[in-house]
């Protein structure tokens, strides 16, 4: 609040607390509530009620988040939340149904996300969402008439294999996208 710190922690016996104390990311939604990606699930801090709503993966329910290690959250220009689950792909939260739509890598589908290990998410000034992956290079979300597919940018050459391990994505003042790669430099 600008004057003091208030600490929130997980209490395994209280479902209105954080899902885990290892917090990866935070994103504010259109209602001013905070979405927190943790090592074990994602949760929403409802400011008006001073409590958390917990979301976990359930193998028997395809409307749940695809995995519990939710490391990155980003809001697109439509106000929708995209949440990555380490090793389990990318999720789009549907506020109306309070459910998640899953996007996973399919080696037989060139329009799927390039890898399930999403390491970074970025929304550029044109509203395009970019997903940097740990093994599959870069993917850009392409949405046409409600259909969502992915444009893959993957380096096939073994000489440039390190370019497929993306750590960070940013845009400069000129609209150029910069990509930081693990042990391969900046592109």
């Amino acid at each position: 609040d600008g004057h003091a710190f208030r600490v929130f922690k997980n209490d395994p016996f209280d479902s209105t607390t954080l899902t885990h104390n290892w917090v990866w990311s935070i994103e504010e939604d259109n209602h001013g509530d905070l979405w927190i990606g943790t090592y074990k699930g994602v949760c929403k801090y409802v400011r008006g009620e001073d409590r958390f709503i917990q979301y976990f993966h359930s193998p028997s329910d395809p409307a749940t988040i695809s995995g519990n290690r939710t490391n990155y959250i980003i809001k697109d220009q439509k106000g929708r939340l995209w949440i990555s689950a380490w090793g389990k792909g990318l999720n789009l939260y549907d506020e109306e149904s309070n459910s998640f739509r899953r996007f996973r890598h399919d080696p037989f589908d060139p329009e799927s996300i390039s890898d399930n290990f999403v390491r970074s998410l970025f929304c550029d000034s044109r509203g395009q969402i970019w997903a940097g992956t740990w093994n599959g290079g870069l993917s850009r979300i392409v949405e046409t008439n409600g259909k969502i597919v992915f444009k893959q940018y993957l380096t096939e050459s073994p000489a440039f294999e390190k370019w497929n391990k993306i750590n960070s994505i940013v845009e400069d003042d000129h609209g150029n996208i910069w990509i930081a790669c693990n042990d391969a430099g900046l592109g």
Side-chain angles (χ1 to χ4, degrees):
D1 66 5
H3 302 284
F5 286 97
R6 184 171 172 205
V7 177
F8 296 92
K9 289 193 172 196
N10 170 260
D11 178 346
F13 304 105
D14 183 352
S15 65
T16 65
T17 65
L18 275 173
T19 55
H20 195 273
N21 291 330
W22 186 340
V23 175
W24 288 95
S25 61
I26 302 171
E27 183 70 49
E28 186 175 29
D29 68 17
N30 288 341
H31 306 290
D33 295 327
L34 299 177
W35 286 76
I36 298 96
T38 77
Y39 190 77
K40 187 178 178 187
V42 66
C43 53
K44 175 171 71 169
Y45 176 67
V46 183
R47 289 182 198 249
E49 299 172 15
D50 192 31
R51 71 180 182 98
F52 292 88
I53 298 172
Q54 299 179 343
Y55 297 90
F56 295 104
H57 169 70
S58 173
S60 62
D61 186 353
T64 63
I65 196 150
S66 61
N68 284 329
R69 190 173 168 191
T70 54
N71 49 336
Y72 295 96
I73 305 171
I74 194 166
K75 183 170 62 173
D76 67 17
Q77 287 188 334
K78 294 179 181 179
R80 301 174 303 181
L81 294 171
W82 293 86
I83 305 169
S84 67
W86 186 250
K88 305 292 183 180
L90 192 58
N91 300 268
L92 176 59
Y93 177 69
D94 184 326
E95 184 178 4
E96 284 185 31
S97 64
N98 193 35
S99 65
F100 297 88
R101 182 174 171 194
R102 300 174 182 177
F103 298 93
R104 303 277 315 251
H105 172 65
D106 178 349
F108 303 106
D109 182 0
E111 291 186 329
S112 70
I113 192 165
S114 59
D115 186 48
N116 288 323
F117 291 88
V118 177
R119 182 94 167 114
S120 60
L121 290 171
F122 180 73
C123 183
D124 70 20
S125 61
R126 294 174 292 282
Q128 298 179 107
I129 300 287
W130 299 84
T133 71
W134 189 242
N135 296 305
L138 189 65
S139 289
R140 181 173 49 89
I141 296 170
V142 178
E143 188 171 5
T144 309
N145 299 324
K147 182 181 179 189
I148 297 173
V149 298
F150 294 82
K151 168 72 175 150
Q152 298 181 11
Y153 302 89
L154 178 67
T155 302
E156 300 287 339
S157 168
F160 296 101
E161 186 177 302
K162 290 181 180 180
W163 282 101
N164 292 328
K165 294 184 180 294
I166 297 174
N167 287 326
S168 183
I169 307 165
V170 70
E171 181 178 16
D172 67 21
D173 292 340
H174 302 286
N176 299 309
I177 302 294
W178 292 83
I179 301 162
C181 299
N182 192 62
D183 200 30
L186 185 64

